[in-house]
Amino acid sequence: MEKKPIILGIESSCDETAAAVIKENEEDKVEILSNIVSSQIDIHKEFGGVVPELAARSHIEKIDLITKKAIDESGVSLKKIDAIAVTAGPGLIVCLSVGLNFGKSLAASMNKPFIAINHLEGHALSPKLNSKLNFPYLLLLISGGHSQFLSIEGLGKYKRLGTTIDDALGEAFDKTAKLLGIEFPGGPKIEEYAKKGNSKKFDLPKPIINRGGCNLSFAGLKTAVLKITKEIKTKQEKYDLAASFQKTIEDILFEKTKIAFKEFKKITKNKNNIFVIAGGVASNKNIRNCLTNLSKSENFETIFPPANLCTDNAAMIAMVGLEKYKLGKFDNLDFKPNPRWALDENAKFLKGAGVKF
Ligand code: KG4
Ligand code: ZN
């Protein structure tokens, strides 16, 4: 019987040091044998955001231990691993270099194939870790570093339909939280505050809501929130602001997802109406409910990967590694970290003040 591939994944693109081992079983299903994630939240919270040098130092301290733990927990010996898949971008270059150098050295010393992985491709294929999902599908990736609508058409075939032209959505949540005096990362706390607040209390802007297709913009919200925080005094007003902020985000995503559905249907000719929502912000229940209801009314099936596979992890990196391994797509050991590695290389760069719709 043909041996089924076993892949080691390594991730260090931002503030999580992670390693995982996955394999394909006899029924062609993916099994996660181990999935270790070590978060650096405690290191960065006093600074209100990720400090690249501190993040890199922590990756250096932990990468070998985390990888060893992933191998030990998997019950597979290092010798049995067929390939080593490592995040090579996008992300912070000082952080990417740590995982990449470690993974390359391991691959060289073990004489195993090395596969360089795009972190966003990991998020894009993460639902394949726990469900049999056929291409194509529409992906909304909403995390601390990225906010994009992508048509996922096959391995390596990604069409960006929309992206943020300024802040990522998680960043907008974290910045609003900071203005309300909440510790980094404040996204989950905003959700808690919002439960106690009146979402109609403050009227916040919805940047580019009527233009720019399904591209997104959140920077204007931060400015509006800043202005309001200067005037509010009570805890209840803070709850109201959190609720108004969250409701505004729901409204923006609702409208933009409607446009993304239309664009996706045009591409796929209505063949596969599947909508995957991933990234840390996808754990927000109000956002989930709002987008699930929209999907129902538009005949889309909604899939949310479980929370531990939505946020940064190495199992999703190993998942892309597995797909590439099966096609014999390996990389050379001189592969360089690529901090700005886009998934759709044909998509226009849409960031900064010069962007006009
Ligand atoms: O995907 P992720 O874990 O890491 C990145 O790749 O960035 O996403 C982290 C982001 C943070 O900005 C965090 O505040 C946000 O996801 N987040 C949330 C919630 N849980 C995490 N935002 C809103 N509501 C939540 N419940
Ligand atoms: Zn990520």
Coordinates of all heavy atoms in Angstrom, one line a residue, residues 187-244:
G187 N -10.1 42.8 20.9 CA -11.2 42.4 20.1 C -12.3 41.6 21.0 O -13.4 42.0 21.0
P188 N -11.8 40.5 21.7 CA -12.8 39.8 22.4 C -13.5 40.6 23.5 O -14.7 40.4 23.8 CB -12.0 38.6 23.1 CG -10.7 38.6 22.2 CD -10.5 39.9 21.7
K189 N -12.8 41.5 24.1 CA -13.3 42.4 25.2 C -14.4 43.4 24.6 O -15.4 43.7 25.2 CB -12.2 43.1 25.8 CG -12.1 43.5 27.3 CD -12.4 42.4 28.2 CE -12.8 42.7 29.6 NZ -11.7 42.6 30.5
I190 N -14.1 43.8 23.4 CA -15.1 44.7 22.7 C -16.5 44.0 22.6 O -17.5 44.5 22.8 CB -14.6 45.2 21.3 CG1 -13.5 46.1 21.4 CG2 -15.8 45.8 20.5 CD1 -13.8 47.5 21.7
E191 N -16.3 42.7 22.2 CA -17.6 41.9 22.1 C -18.3 41.8 23.4 O -19.5 41.9 23.5 CB -17.2 40.5 21.6 CG -18.4 39.6 21.3 CD -18.1 38.3 20.7 OE1 -17.0 37.9 20.5 OE2 -19.1 37.6 20.4
E192 N -17.6 41.7 24.5 CA -18.2 41.6 25.9 C -18.8 43.0 26.2 O -20.0 43.0 26.7 CB -17.1 41.3 26.9 CG -16.9 39.8 27.1 CD -15.8 39.6 28.2 OE1 -15.8 40.4 29.2 OE2 -14.9 38.8 27.9
Y193 N -18.1 44.0 26.0 CA -18.6 45.4 26.3 C -19.9 45.6 25.5 O -20.9 46.2 26.0 CB -17.6 46.5 25.9 CG -16.6 46.9 26.9 CD1 -16.1 45.9 27.8 CD2 -16.1 48.2 27.0 CE1 -15.1 46.3 28.8 CE2 -15.2 48.6 28.0 CZ -14.7 47.6 28.9 OH -13.8 48.0 29.8
A194 N -19.8 45.2 24.2 CA -21.0 45.5 23.3 C -22.3 44.8 23.8 O -23.4 45.4 23.6 CB -20.6 45.0 21.9
K195 N -22.2 43.7 24.5 CA -23.4 43.0 25.0 C -24.1 43.9 26.0 O -25.3 43.8 26.2 CB -23.0 41.8 25.8 CG -22.7 40.6 24.9 CD -22.5 39.3 25.7 CE -21.7 38.4 24.8 NZ -20.7 37.6 25.5
K196 N -23.4 44.8 26.7 CA -24.0 45.7 27.7 C -24.4 47.1 27.2 O -24.9 47.9 27.9 CB -23.1 45.8 28.9 CG -22.7 44.5 29.5 CD -21.8 44.8 30.7 CE -20.7 43.7 30.8 NZ -19.5 44.0 31.5
G197 N -24.2 47.3 25.9 CA -24.4 48.6 25.3 C -25.5 48.8 24.4 O -26.1 47.8 23.9
N198 N -25.8 50.0 24.0 CA -26.8 50.4 23.1 C -26.2 50.7 21.7 O -25.5 51.7 21.6 CB -27.6 51.6 23.6 CG -28.6 52.1 22.6 OD1 -28.8 51.6 21.5 ND2 -29.2 53.3 22.9
S199 N -26.4 49.8 20.8 CA -25.7 50.0 19.5 C -26.2 51.1 18.7 O -25.6 51.5 17.6 CB -25.8 48.7 18.7 OG -27.2 48.4 18.3
K200 N -27.3 51.8 19.1 CA -27.8 52.9 18.3 C -27.3 54.2 18.9 O -27.6 55.3 18.4 CB -29.3 52.9 18.3 CG -29.9 51.7 17.6 CD -31.4 51.9 17.3 CE -32.0 50.7 16.5 NZ -32.4 49.7 17.4
K201 N -26.6 54.2 20.0 CA -26.2 55.4 20.7 C -25.3 56.3 19.8 O -25.5 57.5 19.8 CB -25.5 55.0 22.0 CG -25.1 56.2 22.9 CD -26.3 56.8 23.5 CE -25.9 58.1 24.3 NZ -25.3 57.8 25.6
F202 N -24.3 55.8 19.2 CA -23.4 56.6 18.4 C -23.4 56.2 16.9 O -23.5 55.0 16.6 CB -21.9 56.4 18.9 CG -21.7 56.8 20.4 CD1 -21.6 55.9 21.4 CD2 -21.7 58.1 20.7 CE1 -21.5 56.2 22.7 CE2 -21.5 58.5 22.0 CZ -21.4 57.6 23.0
D203 N -23.4 57.3 16.1 CA -23.5 57.1 14.7 C -22.0 57.1 14.1 O -21.4 58.2 14.2 CB -24.3 58.2 14.1 CG -24.8 57.9 12.7 OD1 -24.7 56.7 12.3 OD2 -25.2 58.8 12.0
L204 N -21.5 56.0 13.7 CA -20.1 56.0 13.2 C -20.1 55.8 11.7 O -21.0 55.3 11.1 CB -19.4 54.8 13.8 CG -19.3 54.9 15.3 CD1 -18.8 53.5 15.9 CD2 -18.3 56.0 15.7
P205 N -19.0 56.3 11.0 CA -19.0 56.3 9.6 C -18.8 54.8 9.0 O -18.3 54.0 9.7 CB -17.7 57.1 9.2 CG -16.9 57.0 10.5 CD -17.8 56.9 11.6
K206 N -19.2 54.6 7.8 CA -19.0 53.4 7.1 C -18.2 53.7 5.8 O -18.8 53.8 4.8 CB -20.4 52.7 6.8 CG -21.1 52.3 8.0 CD -22.5 51.8 7.7 CE -23.3 51.6 8.9 NZ -24.7 51.8 8.8
P207 N -16.9 53.8 6.0 CA -16.1 54.2 4.8 C -16.3 53.3 3.6 O -16.4 52.1 3.7 CB -14.6 54.1 5.4 CG -14.8 54.0 6.8 CD -16.1 53.4 7.1
I208 N -16.3 54.0 2.4 CA -16.4 53.4 1.1 C -17.6 52.3 1.0 O -17.5 51.4 0.2 CB -15.1 52.8 0.5 CG1 -14.6 51.6 1.3 CG2 -14.0 53.9 0.4 CD1 -13.4 50.8 0.5
I209 N -18.6 52.6 1.8 CA -19.7 51.6 1.8 C -20.4 51.5 0.4 O -20.9 50.4 0.0 CB -20.7 51.8 3.0 CG1 -21.6 50.6 3.2 CG2 -21.5 53.1 2.8 CD1 -21.0 49.5 3.9
N210 N -20.5 52.6 -0.3 CA -21.2 52.6 -1.6 C -20.3 52.7 -2.8 O -20.7 53.0 -3.9 CB -22.2 53.9 -1.6 CG -23.3 53.7 -0.6 OD1 -23.8 52.7 -0.4 ND2 -23.5 54.8 0.1
R211 N -19.0 52.4 -2.6 CA -18.1 52.4 -3.7 C -17.0 51.4 -3.4 O -16.9 50.9 -2.3 CB -17.6 53.8 -4.0 CG -16.9 54.4 -2.9 CD -16.8 55.9 -3.1 NE -16.4 56.5 -1.8 CZ -15.2 56.7 -1.4 NH1 -14.2 56.5 -2.2 NH2 -14.9 57.2 -0.2
G212 N -16.2 51.2 -4.5 CA -15.0 50.3 -4.3 C -15.3 48.8 -4.2 O -14.5 48.0 -3.6
G213 N -16.4 48.4 -4.8 CA -16.8 47.0 -4.8 C -16.8 46.4 -3.4 O -17.3 47.0 -2.5
C214 N -16.1 45.2 -3.3 CA -16.1 44.6 -1.9 C -14.8 44.9 -1.2 O -14.4 44.2 -0.3 CB -16.5 43.1 -2.0 SG -15.4 42.1 -2.9
N215 N -14.1 46.0 -1.6 CA -13.0 46.4 -0.9 C -13.5 47.1 0.5 O -14.6 47.5 0.6 CB -12.1 47.5 -1.6 CG -11.4 46.8 -2.8 OD1 -10.6 45.9 -2.6 ND2 -11.7 47.2 -4.0
L216 N -12.6 47.1 1.4 CA -13.0 47.5 2.8 C -12.1 48.7 3.3 O -11.0 48.8 2.8 CB -12.8 46.3 3.8 CG -13.6 45.1 3.4 CD1 -12.9 43.8 4.0 CD2 -15.0 45.2 4.0
S217 N -12.6 49.4 4.2 CA -11.8 50.5 4.8 C -12.3 50.7 6.2 O -13.5 50.8 6.5 CB -12.0 51.8 4.0 OG -11.5 52.9 4.7
F218 N -11.4 50.8 7.2 CA -11.8 50.9 8.6 C -11.1 52.1 9.3 O -11.4 52.4 10.5 CB -11.5 49.6 9.4 CG -12.1 48.4 8.8 CD1 -11.4 47.4 8.2 CD2 -13.5 48.3 8.9 CE1 -12.0 46.3 7.6 CE2 -14.2 47.1 8.4 CZ -13.4 46.1 7.7
A219 N -10.1 52.8 8.6 CA -9.4 53.8 9.3 C -10.2 54.9 9.8 O -10.0 55.5 10.9 CB -8.2 54.3 8.4
G220 N -11.2 55.3 9.0 CA -12.1 56.4 9.4 C -12.9 56.2 10.7 O -13.2 57.1 11.4
L221 N -13.1 54.9 11.0 CA -13.8 54.5 12.2 C -13.0 54.9 13.4 O -13.5 55.4 14.4 CB -14.1 53.0 12.2 CG -15.4 52.6 11.6 CD1 -15.3 51.2 11.1 CD2 -16.5 52.6 12.7
K222 N -11.7 54.6 13.3 CA -10.8 54.8 14.4 C -10.8 56.3 14.8 O -10.9 56.7 15.9 CB -9.4 54.4 14.0 CG -8.3 54.6 15.1 CD -7.0 54.3 14.5 CE -6.7 55.1 13.3 NZ -5.5 54.7 12.5
T223 N -10.8 57.2 13.7 CA -10.8 58.6 14.0 C -12.0 59.0 14.6 O -12.0 59.8 15.6 CB -10.6 59.3 12.6 OG1 -9.6 58.6 11.9 CG2 -10.2 60.8 12.7
A224 N -13.2 58.5 14.2 CA -14.5 58.8 14.8 C -14.5 58.4 16.2 O -15.0 59.1 17.1 CB -15.6 58.2 14.0
V225 N -14.0 57.2 16.5 CA -14.1 56.6 17.9 C -13.2 57.5 18.8 O -13.6 57.8 19.9 CB -13.6 55.1 17.9 CG1 -13.3 54.7 19.3 CG2 -14.6 54.2 17.2
L226 N -12.0 57.9 18.3 CA -11.1 58.8 19.0 C -11.8 60.0 19.5 O -11.7 60.4 20.7 CB -9.9 59.1 18.2 CG -8.9 60.1 18.8 CD1 -8.3 59.5 20.0 CD2 -7.8 60.5 17.8
K227 N -12.6 60.6 18.5 CA -13.3 61.9 18.9 C -14.3 61.7 20.0 O -14.4 62.5 20.9 CB -14.0 62.4 17.6 CG -13.5 63.7 17.1 CD -14.1 64.1 15.8 CE -15.0 65.3 15.9 NZ -15.6 65.5 14.6
I228 N -15.0 60.6 19.9 CA -16.1 60.3 20.9 C -15.5 60.0 22.2 O -16.0 60.4 23.2 CB -17.0 59.2 20.4 CG1 -17.7 59.6 19.1 CG2 -18.0 58.8 21.4 CD1 -18.5 58.4 18.4
T229 N -14.4 59.2 22.2 CA -13.8 58.8 23.5 C -13.3 60.1 24.3 O -13.3 60.0 25.5 CB -12.6 57.8 23.4 OG1 -11.7 58.3 22.4 CG2 -13.0 56.5 23.1
K230 N -13.1 61.1 23.6 CA -12.6 62.4 24.3 C -13.8 63.0 25.1 O -13.6 63.8 26.0 CB -12.0 63.4 23.3 CG -10.7 63.0 22.9 CD -10.0 64.0 22.0 CE -8.6 63.6 21.6 NZ -8.2 64.2 20.4
E231 N -15.0 62.7 24.6 CA -16.2 63.3 25.2 C -16.9 62.4 26.2 O -17.7 62.9 27.1 CB -17.2 63.7 24.1 CG -16.7 64.9 23.4 CD -17.2 65.0 21.9 OE1 -18.2 64.3 21.7 OE2 -16.6 65.7 21.1
I232 N -16.7 61.1 26.2 CA -17.5 60.3 27.0 C -16.9 60.1 28.4 O -15.6 60.1 28.5 CB -17.9 58.9 26.4 CG1 -16.6 58.1 26.1 CG2 -18.7 59.1 25.2 CD1 -16.9 56.7 25.5
K233 N -17.7 59.8 29.4 CA -17.1 59.8 30.8 C -17.5 58.5 31.5 O -16.7 57.9 32.2 CB -17.7 60.9 31.6 CG -17.1 62.3 31.1 CD -17.5 63.4 32.0 CE -17.0 64.7 31.4 NZ -17.6 65.0 30.1
T234 N -18.7 58.0 31.3 CA -19.2 56.9 32.1 C -18.9 55.5 31.4 O -18.6 55.4 30.2 CB -20.7 56.9 32.3 OG1 -21.3 56.7 31.0 CG2 -21.2 58.2 32.8
K235 N -18.9 54.5 32.3 CA -18.7 53.1 31.8 C -19.8 52.7 30.8 O -19.5 52.1 29.8 CB -18.7 52.2 33.0 CG -18.2 50.8 32.7 CD -16.7 50.7 33.0 CE -16.1 49.4 32.6 NZ -14.8 49.1 32.8
Q236 N -21.0 53.1 31.1 CA -22.1 52.8 30.2 C -21.9 53.4 28.8 O -22.2 52.7 27.8 CB -23.5 53.3 30.8 CG -24.7 52.9 30.0 CD -24.8 51.3 29.8 OE1 -24.7 50.6 30.8 NE2 -25.0 50.9 28.6
E237 N -21.3 54.6 28.8 CA -21.1 55.2 27.4 C -20.0 54.4 26.7 O -20.0 54.3 25.5 CB -20.6 56.7 27.6 CG -21.8 57.6 27.9 CD -21.3 59.0 28.3 OE1 -20.3 59.1 29.1 OE2 -21.8 60.0 27.8
K238 N -19.1 53.8 27.4 CA -18.0 53.0 26.8 C -18.7 51.7 26.2 O -18.4 51.3 25.1 CB -17.0 52.6 27.8 CG -16.0 53.7 28.2 CD -14.9 53.1 29.0 CE -13.8 54.2 29.3 NZ -12.7 53.7 30.0
Y239 N -19.6 51.2 27.0 CA -20.3 50.0 26.5 C -21.1 50.4 25.2 O -21.1 49.6 24.2 CB -21.3 49.4 27.5 CG -20.7 48.9 28.8 CD1 -21.4 48.9 30.0 CD2 -19.4 48.3 28.8 CE1 -20.8 48.4 31.2 CE2 -18.8 47.8 29.9 CZ -19.5 47.9 31.1 OH -19.0 47.4 32.3
D240 N -21.7 51.5 25.2 CA -22.5 52.0 24.1 C -21.6 52.2 22.9 O -22.0 51.8 21.7 CB -23.3 53.3 24.4 CG -24.3 53.1 25.5 OD1 -24.7 52.0 25.7 OD2 -24.7 54.1 26.1
L241 N -20.4 52.7 23.1 CA -19.5 53.0 22.0 C -19.0 51.6 21.4 O -19.0 51.4 20.2 CB -18.3 53.8 22.4 CG -17.3 54.2 21.4 CD1 -18.0 54.8 20.1 CD2 -16.3 55.2 21.9
A242 N -18.7 50.7 22.3 CA -18.3 49.3 21.8 C -19.4 48.7 21.0 O -19.2 48.1 19.9 CB -18.0 48.4 23.0
A243 N -20.7 48.8 21.5 CA -21.8 48.2 20.8 C -22.0 48.9 19.4 O -22.3 48.2 18.4 CB -23.1 48.3 21.6
S244 N -21.9 50.2 19.4 CA -22.1 51.0 18.1 C -21.0 50.6 17.1 O -21.3 50.5 15.9 CB -22.1 52.5 18.4 OG -23.1 52.8 19.4

